[in-house]
Amino acid sequence: MPEFKSDSSLRRILSNGVYTVSRFGIYAISGILFIPFLVKEFGSGSYGLLALGGFLTQYIGMISSCVGTAVARYLNIALNSNDWKQANEIFTTAIVANAGFILLQLPLFALGVWKLDWLIDFPEELASDFRILVACNILLFFLNIMKGVLFTPIQAANRLDISEKFMIGSQIARMVLLFGLIKCCGARLWIVGAVDLSLSICVFLIGVSIYHKLVQENLIFKREYITTKWVKPILSMAGWSLVSMLGFSLFVKTDVWIINRFVSKEMAGVYAALLVWPNLIKQVGSVLGGLVAPVFTIDFAHGRNERMVDSLMVSAQFVAYAASLLCGIFIALAPGLIRLWLDESFIQYALWIRLLLGLLVFTISGSVFWRIFVTIGETKYMGLGNLIPGVLNISFSLLLVHFGYGALGVIYASMAALVLKENILFPFWISKEVGIPFWRFLLIYLRAGAGCVLVILVSQLLISKPVEMSIWQLGYVMPLSGLALLALIILMSTNNEKQAFTKAVQNNLPIGAKK
């Protein structure tokens, strides 16, 4: 059998990063320009239903997602170890299991669409459109179950540039199609579902052909490869991943649902619209974490644990610095940016977004940290670290809403739960399992906080009246704030860190190895 080609070198990481940054730019443009268009066309109440369109698949989807993550982990390691027999067993068994799982879920989802009004409050005149939107999301969910297994070799080879190209093309096509169809047919919820499903089908078909090129017909589906020996380890890992997903689901979308059910539909729409910016910045962390995740797995498969740890901490610090720049600018200029992005009626909610973004500076490094649990196979910590804070989030959210704090009470509860999860539990368990001193995590948080404060001060110095700002002023606020942050980063870096960076530059930054 030929050797599976994976690449964890910096050249590959940078190539992946170029497409990743490009995709983030497209998503940012979508958030700045396209989300206000959707809010205006649909209204805040109906826009909230768009955010809830995937609510039905969220919980059942966690099972398949967790199994998919476990399958991807074992398949990834098998491919990088060049164990094609093991890889084919995992691949074939996963395909059969996923197909059976889809068939079992069909009746449950059909009942959910029929009795949708039991779960979500929506106007009667939108019932038909909303049910079509939810049905499209269900079909999209089924497609993603199968796509996950077929696309695993892309991640195993660290060819994330391929998947990023798909996502860039899909996002551009999505904006163009939605704009044209909404203008032609009106603001109908079903249009969003139909467009998303159609684009996913196209990506799936193109991805299948690329999958064949990567594995060169060595990773194949054969009935004789179906085996039960992988069921126990995969289900064990998936079980804790499911606990993790259950806990994770008790944030964000559930927050929107609580506001929808117990505060008002309008406030749920406002909250969903304001979440676009925090979610975009979270996407930065998720994307950067995704860039290095294959490197963790490749290094772990080859026993390069020290390099894995170094990559983990450097990546987490970089993500925290990036968040301190983006969040700091938005915190300082929130009234003006909200006015330019949505309209003046949303300025009264500037405190909401400042709270969410201020917290994000300290918690976003968790988007890198949790991936190490998957790499080393200790998903029980990931499960407990999401479930415990998630339950507390729901409990305190309902309690604060009951005492009249409304949507702001939901935000306060979410903040407390996220601090427990990202800044206490995850670092403590990583320190225990991997041997990283806890003070190194605290140093990341302190540096990010100091950077954010500096960016806020510089931004406020440059624009004294944010509410009157123009979008073009960001053209000099962002680079000047970035330069100030860079100077602070250099000042806060230790001599060892500076020497390591210099040595890496001289050696052309060989973060990983090509095999």
Side-chain angles (χ1 to χ4, degrees), residues 428-450:
F428 175 77
W429 284 324
I430 293 173
S431 179
K432 175 178 177 290
E433 291 297 323
V434 185
I436 303 173
F438 191 80
W439 65 263
R440 292 187 64 182
F441 297 95
L442 295 178
L443 185 61
I444 289 175
Y445 307 143
L446 291 173
R447 285 174 168 177

Side-chain angles (χ1 to χ4, degrees), residues 328-366:
I329 291 174
F330 208 113
I331 290 170
L333 309 178
L337 291 173
I338 290 174
R339 176 183 61 82
L340 293 169
W341 174 41
L342 295 170
D343 60 56
E344 293 183 356
S345 65
F346 284 82
I347 293 178
Q348 61 184 307
Y349 305 109
L351 174 62
W352 293 13
I353 202 164
R354 279 172 165 161
L355 289 172
L356 293 168
L357 291 174
L359 176 71
L360 194 56
V361 172
F362 300 96
T363 60
I364 196 169
S365 54

Side-chain angles (χ1 to χ4, degrees), residues 404-422:
Y405 286 90
L408 194 58
V410 175
I411 294 174
Y412 288 147
S414 180
M415 290 175 67
L418 284 171
V419 167
L420 174 63
K421 168 189 168 184
E422 307 287 7

Side-chain angles (χ1 to χ4, degrees), residues 116-390:
L116 194 58
D117 54 318
W118 289 2
L119 302 172
I120 300 174
D121 182 20
F122 54 88
E124 183 62 31
E125 62 271 17
L126 296 177
S128 178
D129 274 13
F130 189 48
R131 282 190 167 87
I132 294 175
L133 171 67
V134 172
C136 287
N137 280 331
I138 291 171
L139 294 175
L140 182 62
F141 161 67
F142 289 157
L143 190 63
N144 286 335
I145 290 177
M146 303 305 296
K147 187 169 68 175
V149 180
L150 291 173
F151 279 42
T152 295
I154 294 177
Q155 184 187 45
N158 200 19
R159 290 302 309 273
L160 301 183
D161 57 312
I162 296 174
S163 56
E164 295 295 348
K165 290 174 185 177
F166 288 154
M167 298 180 77
I168 290 171
S170 295
Q171 185 64 17
I172 293 174
R174 183 178 189 268
M175 288 190 290
V176 172
L177 289 172
L178 286 179
F179 181 83
L181 290 172
I182 289 172
K183 284 298 183 183
C184 292
C185 306
R188 306 288 299 275
L189 295 173
W190 67 265
I191 291 176
V192 178
V195 167
D196 288 343
L197 178 61
S198 300
L199 290 173
S200 186
I201 291 173
C202 292
V203 169
F204 178 82
L205 294 175
I206 297 172
V208 169
S209 63
I210 293 176
Y211 144 78
H212 282 296
K213 291 180 181 179
L214 283 176
V215 297
Q216 301 174 355
E217 299 183 355
N218 295 306
L219 189 63
I220 56 177
F221 178 90
K222 279 189 177 182
R223 193 169 70 176
E224 55 263 34
Y225 283 129
I226 299 175
T227 177
T228 59
K229 77 175 187 179
W230 290 104
V231 173
K232 184 177 180 179
I234 286 175
L235 289 183
S236 176
M237 182 176 180
W240 282 111
S241 296
L242 176 59
V243 173
S244 174
M245 291 292 289
L246 284 169
F248 185 77
S249 71
L250 300 179
F251 296 92
V252 187
K253 282 190 177 181
T254 306
D255 292 345
V256 176
W257 177 79
I258 289 175
I259 297 173
N260 172 273
R261 294 291 293 181
F262 301 105
V263 182
S264 74
K265 293 187 288 294
E266 289 71 22
M267 286 296 98
V270 169
Y271 184 67
L274 292 177
L275 277 175
V276 169
W277 277 104
N279 285 344
L280 277 173
I281 296 175
K282 284 180 185 178
Q283 185 70 13
V284 174
S286 179
V287 162
L288 292 175
L291 281 174
V292 293
V295 178
F296 297 161
T297 306
I298 293 170
D299 285 341
F300 181 76
H302 293 281
R304 300 191 289 257
N305 292 342
E306 185 177 346
R307 178 156 51 186
M308 179 185 71
V309 169
D310 289 341
S311 298
L312 174 70
M313 301 307 288
V314 170
S315 302
Q317 184 68 82
F318 181 81
V319 168
Y321 280 142
S324 66
L325 175 62
L326 298 174
C327 293
I329 291 174
F330 208 113
I331 290 170
L333 309 178
L337 291 173
I338 290 174
R339 176 183 61 82
L340 293 169
W341 174 41
L342 295 170
D343 60 56
E344 293 183 356
S345 65
F346 284 82
I347 293 178
Q348 61 184 307
Y349 305 109
L351 174 62
W352 293 13
I353 202 164
R354 279 172 165 161
L355 289 172
L356 293 168
L357 291 174
L359 176 71
L360 194 56
V361 172
F362 300 96
T363 60
I364 196 169
S365 54
S367 61
V368 177
F369 288 142
W370 70 263
R371 298 173 191 276
I372 207 68
F373 293 129
V374 177
T375 300
I376 65 176
E378 292 291 348
T379 50
K380 63 182 179 182
Y381 295 120
M382 190 172 68
L384 294 173
N386 275 300
L387 182 62
I388 295 171

